[in-house]
């Protein structure tokens, strides 16, 4: 996903997130997290990227109120901070799925047909790269080499690497996860 | 040999005592010396790829099995860094016997303990072995994959516990730093770096000693040392393995340079995609600080030096040095025009010495063993060794360190074990997206910085993707250009617009819509981009296209002139048919076909209606009997 696409996606995602208008303030816990980091790490604008990492680690993504807050704390304009956020692939302004699929598009995986893995994911759960399923169960990204070239083609689901993939394995893997999530939700509902 | 260091700082005497006590057993572990009296240990590869194959569970299973046997308490399981042979992971080595076990699982772990350790019998079915011509069965370190390597940068990877300061010290770790602090003057160190002939291992190959001298001579009371660990090339994972497998070697190299050029602060820039490398480097930094090897007044010398980790955020262009420095400053990682070079004006405008991870790892051996020793390895202008990441259509995927000047054929056929599946070796792609393809016909050329450049490729960081005859070179060029279109930072038009136009042309070619004039446009456009781009990313962006045009022109011609993809990869140019003989009439293809082009009765031969076929290839991938053919 390049920077331009990411902006478009972010804009598209905005109306789909009711309860989070642009002007809303960041959560108090997020404010505390950011202020604590700045207290512990005195310095200037070079703290921006570590701070964005910290905030995304905490929230899963970087909503606009947080971008605005960070900009204010560091004495930067929000657009400068957004410029940094959109420049780096790792940062996202869109929430990701419960299962984050990261398909390796490194050369070794490409040579061993990683393209078919992306197609199979699309055929099974209907999302393309940079998208999230409507139920926010899955999100799909491409990454540049997981360093698991011996397992090519490979994909990371959250923190687990799955290797030697083909269409059938991808389909079974995703269907398995969907069933697992359904089961977990059902168990959770029973307990409530 | 579980070593826990005292919480107090170490002095030179304590370091010497540690080396005296632990050096011999560790040499035995590395296979450098016979030491039958060395303690029995099980080394488990805890490198990134082996962990993905559940090597951590294997290590746990080994510990459980040892604890349950009569050897309980006598055999230690050591989680070491990457051993290199990722294809055979998880790897387990019985030391000091030097027996390697491959693809070990929980059951295998129990058998290694019961049969080998307790019973004294090697588990033949799990043993790593290679049949060589003449029928001889080679095992352990004698398999060609290991036997042909010369390990300098990777000297400790797979030998020591990565974050154990004691084990690193025992391998003469921090001895070079001691020499630089107390015995050698700065000019002597720079002179040694120059005479060694070490060149930057990040790709450009600039002489390291000269760079050090520029920074030393640059005026300014504040200078910085930076380690470039933003290993963005897909297919390259040597920096990752070094940071994960031997982080102290990077710290030591940087501290030495800090002393020599007069810097007190260093930064290691690591990709966010490498959480394990970040974790282990962080542990190593903390251990070095606690021991007094970093921080104020190092070893009582009066020299202050410390290192911070900076985590990247996923931008390929940040591997370019000026972009990386901008990123450390907290900005968008866009490259800057050079001059001024970072040696004059780097981080926050101060003189900055930036080297790649692998370069840093090579510093202390040169100081300890001498420039002449290093310069004796390699070719006339490229000295020492280079780490390559072997991947793609090759039997032994993994990490290898070989002398400069080795031939591609030796790497592919002997170390790499050849091409699997009876396919033919077609080309090797070196240097990642900025690199090019070396055809099989040039496989006997000695590899160094110059020879690769003459072939239209670059050394790059050392990714080496082996391609077999099923790889379409046009499609491969398209893949790399697509990568670069997305990774171009957008600052200069030749790169931003030029790579996009190249991609459009390549897409036309792979769809069979291009004419002969498009190939000429592609070539001249590529030359323009090379000449006019601001940074290394743009200047090398056309390499994949130009090198494949040069070496595989006939393949481009087949796409353009005949509408045919000789490798059978460009889907739009393929015609799908179902052969009657193997077709079992299972109807899976008909179910998979999104355009309803396949018809037929169950248990009878199916057929594809070419007018309806959209060339998606779904039938090909689901057919259980290989009856679907694409030509």
């Amino acid at each position: 996903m390049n920077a331009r696409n990411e902006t478009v996606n972010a804009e598209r995602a905005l109306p789909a997130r009711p309860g989070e208008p642009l002007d809303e303030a960041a959560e108090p816990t997020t404010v505390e997290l950011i202020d604590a980091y700045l207290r512990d790490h005195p310095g200037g604008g070079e703290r921006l990227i570590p701070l964005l990492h910290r905030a995304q680690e905490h929230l899963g993504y970087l909503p606009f109120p947080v971008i605005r807050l960070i900009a204010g704390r560091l004495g930067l304009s929000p657009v400068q901070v957004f410029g940094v956020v959109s420049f780096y692939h790792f940062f996202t302004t869109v929430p990701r799925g419960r299962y984050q699929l990261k398909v390796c598009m490194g050369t070794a995986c490409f040579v061993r047909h990683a393209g078919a893995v992306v197609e199979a994911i699309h055929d099974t759960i209907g999302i393309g790269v940079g998208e999230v399923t409507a139920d926010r169960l899955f999100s799909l990204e491409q990454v540049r080499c997981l360093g698991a070239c011996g397992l090519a083609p490979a994909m990371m689901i959250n923190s687990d690497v799955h290797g030697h993939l083909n269409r059938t394995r991808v389909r079974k893997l995703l269907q398995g996860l969907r069933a697992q999530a359904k089961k977990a939700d059902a168990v959770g509902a029973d307990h409530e | 040999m579980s070593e826990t260091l005292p919480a107090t700082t170490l002095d030179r005497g304590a370091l010497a005592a540690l080396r005296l006590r632990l050096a011999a057993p560790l040499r035995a572990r590395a296979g450098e010396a016979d030491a039958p009296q060395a303690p029995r240990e099980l080394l488990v590869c805890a490198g990134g790829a082996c962990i993905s194959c559940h090597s951590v569970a294997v290590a746990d299973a080994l510990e459980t099995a040892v604890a349950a046997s009569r050897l309980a308490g006598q055999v230690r399981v050591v989680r070491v860094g990457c051993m290199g042979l990722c294809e055979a992971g998880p790897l387990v080595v019985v030391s000091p016997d030097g027996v390697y076990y491959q693809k070990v699982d929980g059951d295998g772990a129990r058998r290694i303990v019961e049969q080998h350790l307790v019973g004294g019998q090697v588990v033949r079915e799990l043993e790593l072995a290679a049949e060589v011509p003449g029928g001889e069965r080679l095992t352990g370190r004698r398999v060609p994959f290991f036997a042909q390597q010369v390990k300098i940068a990777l000297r400790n990877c797979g030998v020591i516990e990565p974050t154990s300061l004691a084990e690193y010290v025992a391998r003469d770790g921090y001895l070079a730093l001691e020499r630089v602090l107390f015995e050698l003057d700065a000019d002597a160190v720079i002179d040694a770096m120059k005479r060694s002939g070490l060149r930057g291992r990040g790709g450009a190959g600039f002489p390291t000693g000269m760079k050090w001298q520029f920074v030393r001579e640059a005026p300014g009371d504040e200078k910085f040392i930076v380690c470039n660990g933003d290993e963005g090339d897909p297919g390259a994972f040597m920096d990752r393995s070094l940071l994960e497998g031997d982080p102290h070697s990077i710290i030591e190299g940087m501290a030495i340079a800090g002393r020599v050029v007069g810097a007190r602060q260093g930064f290691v820039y690591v990709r966010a995609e490498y959480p394990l490398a970040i974790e282990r480097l962080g542990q190593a930094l903390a251990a070095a600080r606690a021991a007094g090897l970093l921080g104020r007044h190092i070893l009582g010398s009066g020299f202050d030096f410390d290192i911070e980790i900076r985590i990247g955020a996923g931008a390929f262009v940040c591997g370019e040095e000026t972009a990386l420095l901008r990123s450390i400053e907290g900005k968008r990682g866009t490259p800057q025009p050079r001059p001024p070079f970072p040696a004059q004006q780097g981080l926050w405008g101060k003189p900055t010495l930036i080297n790649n991870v692998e370069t840093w790892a090579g510093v202390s051996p040169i100081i300890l063993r001498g420039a002449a020793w290093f310069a004796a390895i390699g070719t006339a202008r490229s000295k020492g060794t280079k780490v390559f990441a072997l991947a793609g259509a090759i039997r032994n995927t993994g990490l290898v360190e070989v002398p400069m000047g080795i031939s591609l054929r030796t790497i592919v056929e002997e170390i790499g074990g050849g091409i699997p599946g009876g396919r033919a070796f077609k080309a090797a792609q070196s240097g990642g997206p900025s690199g090019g393809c070396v055809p099989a016909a040039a496989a006997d050329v000695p590899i160094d910085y110059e020879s690769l450049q003459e072939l239209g490729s670059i050394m790059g960081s050392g990714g080496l993707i082996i391609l077999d005859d099923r790889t379409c070179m046009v499609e491969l060029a398209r893949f790399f250009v697509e990568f670069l279109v997305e990774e171009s930072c957008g600052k200069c038009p030749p790169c931003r617009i030029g790579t996009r136009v190249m991609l459009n042309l390549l897409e036309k070619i792979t769809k069979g819509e291009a004419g002969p004039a498009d190939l000429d446009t592609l070539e001249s456009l590529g030359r323009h981009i090379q000449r006019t781009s601001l940074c290394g990313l743009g200047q090398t962006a056309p390499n994949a296209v130009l090198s494949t045009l040069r070496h595989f022109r006939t393949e481009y011609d087949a796409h353009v002139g005949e509408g045919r993809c000789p490798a059978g990869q460009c889907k739009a140019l393929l015609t799908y048919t179902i052969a009657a003989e193997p077709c079992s009439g299972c109807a899976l293809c008909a179910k998979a076909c999104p355009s309803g082009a396949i018809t037929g009765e169950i248990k009878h031969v199916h057929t594809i209606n070419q007018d309806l076929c959209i060339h998606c290839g779904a039938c090909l991938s689901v057919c259980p009997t290989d009856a679907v053919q694409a030509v």
Side-chain angles (χ1 to χ4, degrees), chain B residues 24-168:
Chain B
L26 278 167
R27 269 203 299 278
R29 217 195 257 177
E32 292 163 2
D34 272 337
Q37 76 288 358
R40 258 281 171 76
E41 291 171 316
L42 291 166
L43 315 180
V44 184
C45 181
C50 279
I51 287 180
S52 300
C53 305
H54 316 293
S55 73
V56 175
V58 171
D60 294 344
L62 286 168
E63 272 171 350
T64 312
V66 168
S69 75
R70 64 175 167 84
L71 295 169
Q74 295 170 46
V75 179
R76 193 164 79 97
V77 175
V78 189
R79 291 158 178 84
V80 296
C82 178
M83 299 185 192
L85 190 49
C86 306
E87 185 74 27
L91 279 165
V92 174
V93 179
V94 180
S95 173
D97 315 32
V99 175
Y100 282 65
Y101 290 110
Q102 58 175 337
K103 300 190 176 166
V104 179
D105 56 9
D107 182 53
R110 278 184 293 280
R111 287 173 68 195
I112 290 168
V113 173
E114 282 162 23
Q115 197 178 317
H116 187 155
L117 296 190
V118 179
Q121 294 288 320
V122 172
V123 189
R124 296 269 291 196
E125 306 88 82
L126 292 176
E127 194 185 15
L128 179 71
E131 298 274 353
V132 292
E136 201 189 348
R137 180 176 182 268
L138 298 177
T139 58
R141 293 184 191 94
R142 293 175 63 225
V143 301
F145 181 85
F146 292 113
Q148 298 263 11
Q149 294 193 49
V150 177
K151 297 203 172 186
I152 297 175
L154 295 175
R155 62 195 178 278
N156 293 328
C157 276
V159 176
I160 63 169
E161 205 174 305
T163 54
S164 165
L165 177 60
E167 293 196 358
Y168 178 73

Side-chain angles (χ1 to χ4, degrees), chain B residues 283-560:
Chain B
Q283 289 168 354
L285 286 172
R289 249 176 239 131
L293 293 162
L294 279 180
R296 297 189 64 82
H297 210 40
I298 293 173
L299 292 173
S301 65
F303 169 57
D304 302 340
F305 189 74
D306 211 333
I307 296 174
E308 274 180 42
I309 302 178
R310 282 303 154 98
I311 301 169
F316 177 70
V317 71
C318 285
E320 199 277 343
E321 57 183 15
T322 59
L324 185 145
L325 298 179
R326 302 260 305 170
S327 183
I328 292 182
E329 293 174 4
K331 299 173 183 155
R332 289 166 71 94
T334 47
Q336 304 301 304
R338 296 178 305 181
F341 287 90
Q344 294 127 23
Q345 286 179 38
L347 269 182
W348 297 289
K350 313 280 186 189
T352 301
L353 175 56
I354 175 164
N355 280 134
N356 168 266
V357 171
E358 194 186 329
T359 316
W360 288 123
V363 170
S364 23
I366 289 173
I367 288 167
L368 291 179
R369 304 184 68 170
W373 160 78
F374 191 83
I377 306 167
T379 63
R381 293 179 61 194
S382 302
K383 301 298 186 187
T385 55
K386 177 78 192 91
V387 181
F388 289 101
L390 268 183
I394 185 95
R395 241 184 224 112
N396 298 333
T397 306
L399 211 57
V400 299
E401 183 168 2
V402 288
M404 293 278 189
I406 195 170
S407 74
L408 193 56
R409 191 176 305 284
T410 311
I411 296 181
V412 172
E413 289 177 3
E414 295 180 33
I415 299 175
I419 316 290
R423 314 297 306 197
F425 170 42
K426 181 174 185 177
Q429 204 282 338
S430 77
S434 312
C437 290
V438 178
D444 293 310
V445 175
I447 295 182
D448 64 12
Y449 289 99
E450 279 72 29
S451 67
L452 283 175
Q453 206 154 11
E454 278 158 26
L455 286 164
S457 185
I458 59 166
M459 178 76 77
S461 55
L464 206 52
I465 310 284
I466 308 304
L467 311 170
D468 68 16
D469 51 358
R470 282 173 304 177
T471 308
C472 169
M473 304 312 275
V474 185
E475 171 65 9
L476 184 78
R478 192 202 59 75
F479 165 76
F480 282 120
V481 174
E482 184 181 37
F483 177 97
L484 291 162
V485 165
E486 295 202 355
E487 296 296 339
S488 171
C489 78
K491 181 168 177 166
C492 73
C495 175
R496 181 182 70 233
I497 304 169
T499 52
R500 164 55 70 182
V501 177
M502 278 205 299
L503 178 62
N504 291 349
L505 286 168
L506 287 163
E507 281 175 350
K508 261 173 87 179
I509 298 171
T510 55
K511 285 180 186 155
E513 295 162 1
D518 288 322
L519 294 186
D520 298 333
T521 312
L522 196 58
E523 193 161 3
S524 68
L525 180 63
R527 304 239 175 268
H528 280 298
I529 297 171
Q530 270 182 338
R531 273 201 306 273
T532 53
S533 291
L534 172 64
C535 82
L537 190 150
Q539 287 157 11
T540 56
N543 280 358
V545 175
L546 294 177
S547 76
T548 47
L549 264 174
R550 172 174 156 194
H551 298 296
F552 299 94
R553 180 78 186 210
T554 50
E555 261 185 64
Y556 279 88
D557 289 339
H559 284 76
V560 173

Side-chain angles (χ1 to χ4, degrees), chain B residues 5 58 159 181 222 243 251 271 280 306 341 343 367 539 568 576 586:
Chain B
L5 289 170
V58 171
V159 176
L181 289 179
E222 194 177 21
L243 288 165
I251 299 171
R271 293 178 79 194
R280 289 195 183 153
D306 211 333
F341 287 90
I367 288 167
Q539 287 157 11
Y576 295 86
C586 67

Side-chain angles (χ1 to χ4, degrees), chain B residues 2-28:
Chain B
S2 186
E3 280 300 323
T4 38
L5 289 170
T8 53
T9 56
L10 299 172
D11 57 19
R12 297 187 69 190
L15 290 173
L18 209 52
R19 288 185 195 115
L20 204 61
R21 193 156 50 85
L22 294 180
L26 278 167
R27 269 203 299 278

Side-chain angles (χ1 to χ4, degrees), chain A residues 53 83 88-90 112 146 167, chain B residues 240 312-314 331-332 392 621:
Chain A
H53 272 298
Y88 295 99
H89 300 302
F90 193 82
R112 293 192 185 178
L146 297 169
R167 280 174 190 275
Chain B
R240 170 187 178 154
K331 299 173 183 155
R332 289 166 71 94
S621 58

